[in-house]
Amino acid sequence: MNNKLNLVELEGISDSINAETESQRLASLSSITGKATNEFNKWRQDILNNIALLTIIIDFAEDQELDKNKMLFNSVDTSIRELDKEIRNYLFKVRSSEILLKGIQLVLLGPPNAGKSSILNILANKEAAIVSDIAGTTRDVIDIPLEIQGYKVVLGDTAGIRSLDNADTIEKEGIKRAKAKSLSADFIIVVLDPTNNDVLDLKDHLKELIKLDKKLVIVLNKQDLHEGDQVKSQEKQ
Ligand SMILES: Nc1nc2c(ncn2[C@@H]2O[C@H](COP(=O)(O)OP(=O)(O)O)[C@@H](O)[C@H]2O)c(=O)[nH]1
Ligand SMILES: [Mg+2]
């Protein structure tokens, strides 16, 4: 109202106040310092210039040399292509900073009893999920926000993927949610227990994730229980 700050700068201040991590605070700076405002103003000016040049062509084309019209048109063409590139770059950056705000969605996925909940508890540094040797203990998706090297990461624990034939109604729903969660994740940690070969039911879902180009890493858990040889025979399958 007093012409001191515009809406973009105010949004930046709000983002800065609400920042949970260093990377989120840094992302808010381009709005506060007026960098984003300058960029928007430049686009506005470029668009106005192009409209003016196109108006000249429309209104006076017949009175001018053909070469001159061509020159004006080429200059508009170049400017619009440049604008298009700049706006696309900006949108790409916005999408990246949206990930910073929402947090990187990291999901633990695997068969029951592989040790997913144990890993979640260690990374979260608290007993957030129930760990037990009863298959099908975790049903709901458990999301724990973490800060890893300045980045907000939301770590999700999921129900173990196994054949629906052995699962009751609630576990079936849990398995459905686990699959959906991994489809929307930014990064998936597939936890396997190499002493247990029961990964058949997970295989199809992994194939789907790989087809979708999902980033995932496979963790062979329970190192204390297996010898090198057993891990090797698992890798061959
Ligand atoms: N020996 C051994 N047992 C583990 C390890 N990690 C988890 N467990 C055990 O494996 C069982 C299943 O663990 P849990 O974290 O509930 O697995 P989830 O079903 O994948 O969530 C529990 O009895 C854990 O104590 C490990 O690294 N070594
Ligand atoms: Mg679990």
Side-chain angles (χ1 to χ4, degrees), residues 110-112 135-136 139 159-176 179 196-205:
R139 282 129 180 257
I161 310 285
R162 65 166 166 175
S163 159
L164 294 178
D165 301 342
N166 302 325
D168 63 30
T169 328
I170 302 173
E171 198 189 340
K172 274 187 190 132
E173 178 60 29
I175 294 173
K176 209 170 99 188
K179 288 182 176 171
N196 178 357
N197 286 326
D198 193 15
V199 291
L200 274 180
D201 299 302
L202 183 66
K203 244 178 167 171
D204 284 342
H205 185 61

Side-chain angles (χ1 to χ4, degrees), residues 117 130 138 157-158:
S117 299
I130 301 173
T138 310
D157 186 20
T158 61

